[in-house]
PDB file of all heavy atoms in Angstrom:
ATOM      1  N   THR A   1     -73.908  43.904 -94.336  1.00 93.00           N
ATOM      2  CA  THR A   1     -73.909  42.674 -93.594  1.00 93.00           C
ATOM      3  C   THR A   1     -73.556  42.923 -92.086  1.00 93.00           C
ATOM      4  O   THR A   1     -73.508  41.992 -91.236  1.00 93.00           O
ATOM      5  CB  THR A   1     -72.859  41.708 -94.155  1.00 93.00           C
ATOM      6  OG1 THR A   1     -71.635  42.321 -94.245  1.00 93.00           O
ATOM      7  CG2 THR A   1     -73.230  41.331 -95.607  1.00 93.00           C
ATOM      8  N   ARG A   2     -73.247  44.050 -91.714  1.00 92.00           N
ATOM      9  CA  ARG A   2     -72.872  44.447 -90.331  1.00 92.00           C
ATOM     10  C   ARG A   2     -74.147  44.436 -89.413  1.00 92.00           C
ATOM     11  O   ARG A   2     -74.048  44.265 -88.236  1.00 92.00           O
ATOM     12  CB  ARG A   2     -72.149  45.778 -90.220  1.00 92.00           C
ATOM     13  CG  ARG A   2     -70.858  45.836 -90.917  1.00 92.00           C
ATOM     14  CD  ARG A   2     -70.219  47.172 -90.934  1.00 92.00           C
ATOM     15  NE  ARG A   2     -71.176  48.148 -91.635  1.00 92.00           N
ATOM     16  CZ  ARG A   2     -71.041  49.450 -91.591  1.00 92.00           C
ATOM     17  NH1 ARG A   2     -69.955  49.972 -91.002  1.00 92.00           N
ATOM     18  NH2 ARG A   2     -71.815  50.298 -92.160  1.00 92.00           N
ATOM     19  N   TYR A   3     -75.335  44.522 -90.126  1.00 91.00           N
ATOM     20  CA  TYR A   3     -76.560  44.692 -89.385  1.00 91.00           C
ATOM     21  C   TYR A   3     -77.570  43.598 -89.827  1.00 91.00           C
ATOM     22  O   TYR A   3     -77.771  43.473 -90.956  1.00 91.00           O
ATOM     23  CB  TYR A   3     -77.100  46.124 -89.512  1.00 91.00           C
ATOM     24  CG  TYR A   3     -76.113  47.164 -89.204  1.00 91.00           C
ATOM     25  CD1 TYR A   3     -75.495  47.900 -90.164  1.00 91.00           C
ATOM     26  CD2 TYR A   3     -75.926  47.488 -87.810  1.00 91.00           C
ATOM     27  CE1 TYR A   3     -74.599  48.870 -89.848  1.00 91.00           C
ATOM     28  CE2 TYR A   3     -74.905  48.454 -87.486  1.00 91.00           C
ATOM     29  CZ  TYR A   3     -74.293  49.156 -88.523  1.00 91.00           C
ATOM     30  OH  TYR A   3     -73.402  50.141 -88.112  1.00 91.00           O
ATOM     31  N   ALA A   4     -78.198  42.871 -88.806  1.00 85.00           N
ATOM     32  CA  ALA A   4     -78.957  41.824 -89.149  1.00 85.00           C
ATOM     33  C   ALA A   4     -80.273  42.357 -90.042  1.00 85.00           C
ATOM     34  O   ALA A   4     -80.643  41.538 -90.896  1.00 85.00           O
ATOM     35  CB  ALA A   4     -79.461  41.252 -87.860  1.00 85.00           C
ATOM     36  N   GLU A   5     -80.838  43.472 -89.734  1.00 82.00           N
ATOM     37  CA  GLU A   5     -81.969  43.925 -90.476  1.00 82.00           C
ATOM     38  C   GLU A   5     -81.634  44.093 -91.925  1.00 82.00           C
ATOM     39  O   GLU A   5     -82.664  44.180 -92.776  1.00 82.00           O
ATOM     40  CB  GLU A   5     -82.518  45.207 -89.828  1.00 82.00           C
ATOM     41  CG  GLU A   5     -81.651  46.437 -89.897  1.00 82.00           C
ATOM     42  CD  GLU A   5     -80.714  46.522 -88.722  1.00 82.00           C
ATOM     43  OE1 GLU A   5     -80.553  45.469 -88.010  1.00 82.00           O
ATOM     44  OE2 GLU A   5     -80.158  47.661 -88.410  1.00 82.00           O
ATOM     45  N   SER A   6     -80.384  44.310 -92.303  1.00 80.00           N
ATOM     46  CA  SER A   6     -80.082  44.461 -93.744  1.00 80.00           C
ATOM     47  C   SER A   6     -79.953  43.152 -94.545  1.00 80.00           C
ATOM     48  O   SER A   6     -80.005  43.104 -95.671  1.00 80.00           O
ATOM     49  CB  SER A   6     -78.765  45.265 -93.848  1.00 80.00           C
ATOM     50  OG  SER A   6     -78.503  45.460 -95.313  1.00 80.00           O
ATOM     51  N   ARG A   7     -79.812  42.066 -93.707  1.00 80.00           N
ATOM     52  CA  ARG A   7     -79.536  40.762 -94.408  1.00 80.00           C
ATOM     53  C   ARG A   7     -80.736  40.156 -94.973  1.00 80.00           C
ATOM     54  O   ARG A   7     -80.629  39.121 -95.635  1.00 80.00           O
ATOM     55  CB  ARG A   7     -78.844  39.830 -93.478  1.00 80.00           C
ATOM     56  CG  ARG A   7     -77.519  40.439 -92.955  1.00 80.00           C
ATOM     57  CD  ARG A   7     -77.038  39.551 -91.692  1.00 80.00           C
ATOM     58  NE  ARG A   7     -76.057  40.289 -90.982  1.00 80.00           N
ATOM     59  CZ  ARG A   7     -75.712  39.988 -89.701  1.00 80.00           C
ATOM     60  NH1 ARG A   7     -76.207  38.954 -89.095  1.00 80.00           N
ATOM     61  NH2 ARG A   7     -74.837  40.644 -89.063  1.00 80.00           N
ATOM     62  N   GLY A   8     -81.824  40.722 -94.705  1.00 74.00           N
ATOM     63  CA  GLY A   8     -83.080  40.252 -95.287  1.00 74.00           C
ATOM     64  C   GLY A   8     -83.151  40.310 -96.810  1.00 74.00           C
ATOM     65  O   GLY A   8     -83.962  39.708 -97.502  1.00 74.00           O
ATOM     66  N   LEU A   9     -82.297  41.209 -97.458  1.00 79.00           N
ATOM     67  CA  LEU A   9     -82.246  41.264 -98.872  1.00 79.00           C
ATOM     68  C   LEU A   9     -81.469  40.146 -99.541  1.00 79.00           C
ATOM     69  O   LEU A   9     -81.414  40.049-100.728  1.00 79.00           O
ATOM     70  CB  LEU A   9     -81.631  42.601 -99.260  1.00 79.00           C
ATOM     71  CG  LEU A   9     -82.412  43.880 -98.869  1.00 79.00           C
ATOM     72  CD1 LEU A   9     -81.681  45.120 -99.160  1.00 79.00           C
ATOM     73  CD2 LEU A   9     -83.827  43.866 -99.547  1.00 79.00           C
ATOM     74  N   VAL A  10     -80.727  39.407 -98.714  1.00 83.00           N
ATOM     75  CA  VAL A  10     -79.874  38.281 -99.213  1.00 83.00           C
ATOM     76  C   VAL A  10     -80.776  37.096 -99.418  1.00 83.00           C
ATOM     77  O   VAL A  10     -81.419  36.540 -98.355  1.00 83.00           O
ATOM     78  CB  VAL A  10     -78.732  37.936 -98.343  1.00 83.00           C
ATOM     79  CG1 VAL A  10     -77.900  36.817 -98.889  1.00 83.00           C
ATOM     80  CG2 VAL A  10     -77.837  39.281 -98.188  1.00 83.00           C
ATOM     81  N   ILE A  11     -80.848  36.500-100.560  1.00 80.00           N
ATOM     82  CA  ILE A  11     -81.686  35.291-100.805  1.00 80.00           C
ATOM     83  C   ILE A  11     -81.161  34.028-100.070  1.00 80.00           C
ATOM     84  O   ILE A  11     -81.884  33.339 -99.338  1.00 80.00           O
ATOM     85  CB  ILE A  11     -81.882  35.152-102.304  1.00 80.00           C
ATOM     86  CG1 ILE A  11     -82.576  36.364-102.915  1.00 80.00           C
ATOM     87  CG2 ILE A  11     -82.713  33.773-102.571  1.00 80.00           C
ATOM     88  CD1 ILE A  11     -82.741  36.237-104.383  1.00 80.00           C
ATOM     89  N   GLU A  12     -79.881  33.644-100.435  1.00 78.00           N
ATOM     90  CA  GLU A  12     -79.380  32.443 -99.928  1.00 78.00           C
ATOM     91  C   GLU A  12     -79.187  32.377 -98.492  1.00 78.00           C
ATOM     92  O   GLU A  12     -78.939  33.414 -97.862  1.00 78.00           O
ATOM     93  CB  GLU A  12     -77.997  32.166-100.668  1.00 78.00           C
ATOM     94  CG  GLU A  12     -78.089  31.877-102.131  1.00 78.00           C
ATOM     95  CD  GLU A  12     -78.142  33.186-102.992  1.00 78.00           C
ATOM     96  OE1 GLU A  12     -77.976  34.244-102.345  1.00 78.00           O
ATOM     97  OE2 GLU A  12     -78.148  33.005-104.175  1.00 78.00           O
ATOM     98  N   GLN A  13     -79.388  31.307 -97.833  1.00 75.00           N
ATOM     99  CA  GLN A  13     -79.154  31.061 -96.426  1.00 75.00           C
ATOM    100  C   GLN A  13     -77.887  30.151 -96.337  1.00 75.00           C
ATOM    101  O   GLN A  13     -77.456  29.364 -97.151  1.00 75.00           O
ATOM    102  CB  GLN A  13     -80.344  30.403 -95.746  1.00 75.00           C
ATOM    103  CG  GLN A  13     -81.660  31.074 -95.872  1.00 75.00           C
ATOM    104  CD  GLN A  13     -81.616  32.411 -95.098  1.00 75.00           C
ATOM    105  OE1 GLN A  13     -81.073  32.526 -94.090  1.00 75.00           O
ATOM    106  NE2 GLN A  13     -82.231  33.464 -95.745  1.00 75.00           N
ATOM    107  N   GLY A  14     -77.115  30.482 -95.194  1.00 83.00           N
ATOM    108  CA  GLY A  14     -75.927  29.601 -94.934  1.00 83.00           C
ATOM    109  C   GLY A  14     -74.679  30.179 -95.673  1.00 83.00           C
ATOM    110  O   GLY A  14     -73.739  29.431 -95.714  1.00 83.00           O
ATOM    111  N   TYR A  15     -74.745  31.380 -96.266  1.00 90.00           N
ATOM    112  CA  TYR A  15     -73.693  31.955 -96.900  1.00 90.00           C
ATOM    113  C   TYR A  15     -72.976  33.056 -96.050  1.00 90.00           C
ATOM    114  O   TYR A  15     -72.030  33.655 -96.476  1.00 90.00           O
ATOM    115  CB  TYR A  15     -74.045  32.567 -98.193  1.00 90.00           C
ATOM    116  CG  TYR A  15     -74.173  31.590 -99.253  1.00 90.00           C
ATOM    117  CD1 TYR A  15     -74.590  30.193 -99.068  1.00 90.00           C
ATOM    118  CD2 TYR A  15     -74.107  31.842-100.670  1.00 90.00           C
ATOM    119  CE1 TYR A  15     -74.729  29.269 -99.969  1.00 90.00           C
ATOM    120  CE2 TYR A  15     -74.297  30.964-101.680  1.00 90.00           C
ATOM    121  CZ  TYR A  15     -74.607  29.766-101.284  1.00 90.00           C
ATOM    122  OH  TYR A  15     -74.831  28.782-102.302  1.00 90.00           O
ATOM    123  N   LEU A  16     -73.425  33.223 -94.778  1.00 91.00           N
ATOM    124  CA  LEU A  16     -72.964  34.201 -93.845  1.00 91.00           C
ATOM    125  C   LEU A  16     -72.413  33.457 -92.613  1.00 91.00           C
ATOM    126  O   LEU A  16     -72.955  32.440 -92.171  1.00 91.00           O
ATOM    127  CB  LEU A  16     -73.971  35.207 -93.469  1.00 91.00           C
ATOM    128  CG  LEU A  16     -74.683  35.947 -94.594  1.00 91.00           C
ATOM    129  CD1 LEU A  16     -75.723  36.896 -93.976  1.00 91.00           C
ATOM    130  CD2 LEU A  16     -73.695  36.696 -95.525  1.00 91.00           C
ATOM    131  N   ASP A  17     -71.320  34.041 -91.985  1.00 91.00           N
ATOM    132  CA  ASP A  17     -70.849  33.541 -90.740  1.00 91.00           C
ATOM    133  C   ASP A  17     -71.744  34.096 -89.646  1.00 91.00           C
ATOM    134  O   ASP A  17     -72.584  34.796 -89.886  1.00 91.00           O
ATOM    135  CB  ASP A  17     -69.335  33.670 -90.597  1.00 91.00           C
ATOM    136  CG  ASP A  17     -68.981  35.193 -90.407  1.00 91.00           C
ATOM    137  OD1 ASP A  17     -69.840  35.955 -90.188  1.00 91.00           O
ATOM    138  OD2 ASP A  17     -67.800  35.420 -90.340  1.00 91.00           O
ATOM    139  N   ALA A  18     -71.247  33.729 -88.363  1.00 89.00           N
ATOM    140  CA  ALA A  18     -72.072  34.163 -87.177  1.00 89.00           C
ATOM    141  C   ALA A  18     -72.078  35.638 -87.018  1.00 89.00           C
ATOM    142  O   ALA A  18     -73.032  36.213 -86.460  1.00 89.00           O
ATOM    143  CB  ALA A  18     -71.462  33.374 -85.975  1.00 89.00           C
ATOM    144  N   SER A  19     -71.048  36.294 -87.540  1.00 89.00           N
ATOM    145  CA  SER A  19     -71.001  37.708 -87.467  1.00 89.00           C
ATOM    146  C   SER A  19     -71.668  38.446 -88.670  1.00 89.00           C
ATOM    147  O   SER A  19     -71.710  39.691 -88.661  1.00 89.00           O
ATOM    148  CB  SER A  19     -69.469  38.252 -87.456  1.00 89.00           C
ATOM    149  OG  SER A  19     -68.856  37.640 -86.334  1.00 89.00           O
ATOM    150  N   GLY A  20     -72.230  37.666 -89.669  1.00 90.00           N
ATOM    151  CA  GLY A  20     -72.957  38.305 -90.743  1.00 90.00           C
ATOM    152  C   GLY A  20     -72.068  38.456 -91.890  1.00 90.00           C
ATOM    153  O   GLY A  20     -72.525  39.031 -93.064  1.00 90.00           O
ATOM    154  N   ARG A  21     -70.744  38.093 -91.733  1.00 93.00           N
ATOM    155  CA  ARG A  21     -69.820  38.343 -92.970  1.00 93.00           C
ATOM    156  C   ARG A  21     -70.072  37.381 -94.023  1.00 93.00           C
ATOM    157  O   ARG A  21     -70.523  36.172 -93.761  1.00 93.00           O
ATOM    158  CB  ARG A  21     -68.377  38.186 -92.488  1.00 93.00           C
ATOM    159  CG  ARG A  21     -67.973  39.340 -91.433  1.00 93.00           C
ATOM    160  CD  ARG A  21     -66.467  39.131 -91.017  1.00 93.00           C
ATOM    161  NE  ARG A  21     -66.250  37.825 -90.412  1.00 93.00           N
ATOM    162  CZ  ARG A  21     -65.049  37.362 -90.042  1.00 93.00           C
ATOM    163  NH1 ARG A  21     -63.913  38.131 -90.210  1.00 93.00           N
ATOM    164  NH2 ARG A  21     -65.031  36.206 -89.487  1.00 93.00           N
ATOM    165  N   VAL A  22     -69.894  37.720 -95.318  1.00 95.00           N
ATOM    166  CA  VAL A  22     -69.994  36.769 -96.451  1.00 95.00           C
ATOM    167  C   VAL A  22     -68.848  35.937 -96.412  1.00 95.00           C
ATOM    168  O   VAL A  22     -67.686  36.300 -96.219  1.00 95.00           O
ATOM    169  CB  VAL A  22     -70.043  37.475 -97.718  1.00 95.00           C
ATOM    170  CG1 VAL A  22     -70.204  36.580 -98.894  1.00 95.00           C
ATOM    171  CG2 VAL A  22     -71.227  38.570 -97.686  1.00 95.00           C
ATOM    172  N   LEU A  23     -69.165  34.642 -96.555  1.00 95.00           N
ATOM    173  CA  LEU A  23     -68.092  33.644 -96.303  1.00 95.00           C
ATOM    174  C   LEU A  23     -67.173  33.517 -97.595  1.00 95.00           C
ATOM    175  O   LEU A  23     -67.609  33.841 -98.727  1.00 95.00           O
ATOM    176  CB  LEU A  23     -68.723  32.215 -96.131  1.00 95.00           C
ATOM    177  CG  LEU A  23     -69.376  31.970 -94.805  1.00 95.00           C
ATOM    178  CD1 LEU A  23     -70.118  30.658 -94.742  1.00 95.00           C
ATOM    179  CD2 LEU A  23     -68.385  32.009 -93.682  1.00 95.00           C
ATOM    180  N   ALA A  24     -65.910  33.235 -97.439  1.00 95.00           N
ATOM    181  CA  ALA A  24     -65.018  33.115 -98.436  1.00 95.00           C
ATOM    182  C   ALA A  24     -65.475  32.161 -99.536  1.00 95.00           C
ATOM    183  O   ALA A  24     -65.962  31.119 -99.235  1.00 95.00           O
ATOM    184  CB  ALA A  24     -63.553  32.742 -98.004  1.00 95.00           C
ATOM    185  N   GLY A  25     -65.395  32.587-100.826  1.00 94.00           N
ATOM    186  CA  GLY A  25     -65.668  31.750-101.942  1.00 94.00           C
ATOM    187  C   GLY A  25     -67.119  31.521-102.118  1.00 94.00           C
ATOM    188  O   GLY A  25     -67.644  30.704-102.985  1.00 94.00           O
ATOM    189  N   LYS A  26     -67.944  32.412-101.544  1.00 94.00           N
ATOM    190  CA  LYS A  26     -69.390  32.360-101.801  1.00 94.00           C
ATOM    191  C   LYS A  26     -69.934  33.524-102.587  1.00 94.00           C
ATOM    192  O   LYS A  26     -69.379  34.665-102.463  1.00 94.00           O
ATOM    193  CB  LYS A  26     -70.088  32.223-100.374  1.00 94.00           C
ATOM    194  CG  LYS A  26     -69.755  31.106 -99.595  1.00 94.00           C
ATOM    195  CD  LYS A  26     -70.272  29.798-100.227  1.00 94.00           C
ATOM    196  CE  LYS A  26     -70.026  28.554 -99.347  1.00 94.00           C
ATOM    197  NZ  LYS A  26     -70.624  27.298 -99.898  1.00 94.00           N
ATOM    198  N   SER A  27     -70.975  33.356-103.168  1.00 93.00           N
ATOM    199  CA  SER A  27     -71.800  34.413-103.934  1.00 93.00           C
ATOM    200  C   SER A  27     -73.094  34.595-103.213  1.00 93.00           C
ATOM    201  O   SER A  27     -73.753  33.659-103.033  1.00 93.00           O
ATOM    202  CB  SER A  27     -72.073  34.142-105.430  1.00 93.00           C
ATOM    203  OG  SER A  27     -70.716  34.205-106.210  1.00 93.00           O
ATOM    204  N   ILE A  28     -73.522  35.833-102.855  1.00 93.00           N
ATOM    205  CA  ILE A  28     -74.805  36.115-102.449  1.00 93.00           C
ATOM    206  C   ILE A  28     -75.632  36.863-103.477  1.00 93.00           C
ATOM    207  O   ILE A  28     -75.116  37.552-104.173  1.00 93.00           O
ATOM    208  CB  ILE A  28     -74.751  36.872-101.040  1.00 93.00           C
ATOM    209  CG1 ILE A  28     -74.070  38.132-101.226  1.00 93.00           C
ATOM    210  CG2 ILE A  28     -74.157  36.122 -99.988  1.00 93.00           C
ATOM    211  CD1 ILE A  28     -74.090  39.108-100.097  1.00 93.00           C
ATOM    212  N   THR A  29     -76.943  36.693-103.412  1.00 91.00           N
ATOM    213  CA  THR A  29     -77.856  37.262-104.322  1.00 91.00           C
ATOM    214  C   THR A  29     -78.600  38.331-103.576  1.00 91.00           C
ATOM    215  O   THR A  29     -79.194  37.993-102.551  1.00 91.00           O
ATOM    216  CB  THR A  29     -78.699  36.370-105.071  1.00 91.00           C
ATOM    217  OG1 THR A  29     -77.969  35.369-105.657  1.00 91.00           O
ATOM    218  CG2 THR A  29     -79.567  36.980-106.089  1.00 91.00           C
ATOM    219  N   ILE A  30     -78.638  39.589-104.084  1.00 92.00           N
ATOM    220  CA  ILE A  30     -79.359  40.638-103.497  1.00 92.00           C
ATOM    221  C   ILE A  30     -80.677  41.011-104.298  1.00 92.00           C
ATOM    222  O   ILE A  30     -80.548  41.320-105.428  1.00 92.00           O
ATOM    223  CB  ILE A  30     -78.417  41.912-103.399  1.00 92.00           C
ATOM    224  CG1 ILE A  30     -77.102  41.484-102.660  1.00 92.00           C
ATOM    225  CG2 ILE A  30     -79.238  43.074-102.614  1.00 92.00           C
ATOM    226  CD1 ILE A  30     -76.209  42.580-102.717  1.00 92.00           C
ATOM    227  N   ARG A  31     -81.807  40.965-103.656  1.00 90.00           N
ATOM    228  CA  ARG A  31     -83.070  41.313-104.251  1.00 90.00           C
ATOM    229  C   ARG A  31     -83.166  42.816-104.344  1.00 90.00           C
ATOM    230  O   ARG A  31     -82.767  43.508-103.371  1.00 90.00           O
ATOM    231  CB  ARG A  31     -84.274  40.866-103.439  1.00 90.00           C
ATOM    232  CG  ARG A  31     -84.381  39.335-103.459  1.00 90.00           C
ATOM    233  CD  ARG A  31     -85.765  38.951-102.866  1.00 90.00           C
ATOM    234  NE  ARG A  31     -85.786  39.143-101.493  1.00 90.00           N
ATOM    235  CZ  ARG A  31     -85.560  38.408-100.414  1.00 90.00           C
ATOM    236  NH1 ARG A  31     -85.299  37.147-100.754  1.00 90.00           N
ATOM    237  NH2 ARG A  31     -85.663  38.774 -99.197  1.00 90.00           N
ATOM    238  N   LEU A  32     -83.577  43.425-105.482  1.00 91.00           N
ATOM    239  CA  LEU A  32     -83.753  44.844-105.694  1.00 91.00           C
ATOM    240  C   LEU A  32     -85.102  45.212-105.977  1.00 91.00           C
ATOM    241  O   LEU A  32     -85.470  46.289-106.335  1.00 91.00           O
ATOM    242  CB  LEU A  32     -82.907  45.216-106.902  1.00 91.00           C
ATOM    243  CG  LEU A  32     -81.384  44.852-106.899  1.00 91.00           C
ATOM    244  CD1 LEU A  32     -80.768  45.333-108.151  1.00 91.00           C
ATOM    245  CD2 LEU A  32     -80.691  45.481-105.612  1.00 91.00           C
ATOM    246  N   THR A  33     -86.194  44.193-105.711  1.00 88.00           N
ATOM    247  CA  THR A  33     -87.469  44.481-105.999  1.00 88.00           C
ATOM    248  C   THR A  33     -88.067  45.584-105.096  1.00 88.00           C
ATOM    249  O   THR A  33     -89.199  46.011-105.531  1.00 88.00           O
ATOM    250  CB  THR A  33     -88.308  43.146-105.742  1.00 88.00           C
ATOM    251  OG1 THR A  33     -88.017  42.592-104.555  1.00 88.00           O
ATOM    252  CG2 THR A  33     -87.904  42.190-106.888  1.00 88.00           C
ATOM    253  N   ASP A  34     -87.536  46.018-104.052  1.00 88.00           N
ATOM    254  CA  ASP A  34     -88.040  47.231-103.354  1.00 88.00           C
ATOM    255  C   ASP A  34     -87.752  48.441-104.106  1.00 88.00           C
ATOM    256  O   ASP A  34     -88.485  49.427-103.754  1.00 88.00           O
ATOM    257  CB  ASP A  34     -87.451  47.345-101.873  1.00 88.00           C
ATOM    258  CG  ASP A  34     -87.862  46.165-100.972  1.00 88.00           C
ATOM    259  OD1 ASP A  34     -88.901  45.555-101.284  1.00 88.00           O
ATOM    260  OD2 ASP A  34     -87.332  46.029-100.000  1.00 88.00           O
ATOM    261  N   HIS A  35     -86.871  48.389-105.019  1.00 91.00           N
ATOM    262  CA  HIS A  35     -86.492  49.630-105.747  1.00 91.00           C
ATOM    263  C   HIS A  35     -86.694  49.632-107.222  1.00 91.00           C
ATOM    264  O   HIS A  35     -86.883  50.659-107.895  1.00 91.00           O
ATOM    265  CB  HIS A  35     -85.025  49.907-105.428  1.00 91.00           C
ATOM    266  CG  HIS A  35     -84.625  49.794-104.103  1.00 91.00           C
ATOM    267  ND1 HIS A  35     -84.851  50.753-103.128  1.00 91.00           N
ATOM    268  CD2 HIS A  35     -84.045  48.748-103.363  1.00 91.00           C
ATOM    269  CE1 HIS A  35     -84.418  50.432-101.917  1.00 91.00           C
ATOM    270  NE2 HIS A  35     -83.909  49.159-102.064  1.00 91.00           N
ATOM    271  N   LEU A  36     -86.688  48.459-107.797  1.00 89.00           N
ATOM    272  CA  LEU A  36     -86.744  48.289-109.339  1.00 89.00           C
ATOM    273  C   LEU A  36     -87.739  47.393-109.700  1.00 89.00           C
ATOM    274  O   LEU A  36     -88.117  46.382-108.883  1.00 89.00           O
ATOM    275  CB  LEU A  36     -85.386  47.934-109.868  1.00 89.00           C
ATOM    276  CG  LEU A  36     -84.179  48.642-109.320  1.00 89.00           C
ATOM    277  CD1 LEU A  36     -82.880  48.055-109.829  1.00 89.00           C
ATOM    278  CD2 LEU A  36     -84.188  50.068-109.819  1.00 89.00           C
ATOM    279  N   TYR A  37     -88.216  47.344-111.077  1.00 88.00           N
ATOM    280  CA  TYR A  37     -89.011  46.343-111.578  1.00 88.00           C
ATOM    281  C   TYR A  37     -88.694  46.232-113.066  1.00 88.00           C
ATOM    282  O   TYR A  37     -88.778  47.092-113.839  1.00 88.00           O
ATOM    283  CB  TYR A  37     -90.505  46.691-111.454  1.00 88.00           C
ATOM    284  CG  TYR A  37     -91.393  45.694-112.139  1.00 88.00           C
ATOM    285  CD1 TYR A  37     -91.652  44.451-111.576  1.00 88.00           C
ATOM    286  CD2 TYR A  37     -92.142  45.968-113.199  1.00 88.00           C
ATOM    287  CE1 TYR A  37     -92.453  43.586-112.124  1.00 88.00           C
ATOM    288  CE2 TYR A  37     -92.889  45.096-113.881  1.00 88.00           C
ATOM    289  CZ  TYR A  37     -93.116  43.737-113.320  1.00 88.00           C
ATOM    290  OH  TYR A  37     -93.907  42.906-113.965  1.00 88.00           O
ATOM    291  N   VAL A  38     -88.150  45.011-113.427  1.00 88.00           N
ATOM    292  CA  VAL A  38     -87.694  44.758-114.790  1.00 88.00           C
ATOM    293  C   VAL A  38     -86.567  45.772-115.229  1.00 88.00           C
ATOM    294  O   VAL A  38     -86.862  46.442-116.328  1.00 88.00           O
ATOM    295  CB  VAL A  38     -88.893  44.634-115.769  1.00 88.00           C
ATOM    296  CG1 VAL A  38     -88.384  43.902-117.135  1.00 88.00           C
ATOM    297  CG2 VAL A  38     -90.050  43.868-115.186  1.00 88.00           C
TER     298      VAL A  38
END
């Protein structure tokens, strides 16, 4: 989350603050489809 180009793997929007940190009390979902299938 320190780098904007890495945040494309996060599905939900609005779960990060202006610095890209994950907000307290939130769950983010990370897509793994670039690496795995089923």
Side-chain angles (χ1 to χ4, degrees):
T1 60
R2 298 173 299 173
Y3 305 102
E5 61 270 20
S6 177
R7 299 172 201 160
L9 295 176
V10 179
I11 296 175
E12 293 87 355
Q13 301 297 319
Y15 283 25
L16 306 177
D17 68 7
S19 300
R21 297 180 300 175
V22 181
L23 293 172
K26 299 292 186 179
S27 289
I28 58 172
T29 302
I30 305 173
R31 292 191 295 262
L32 305 178
T33 47
D34 286 347
H35 312 282
L36 312 170
Y37 178 70
V38 194

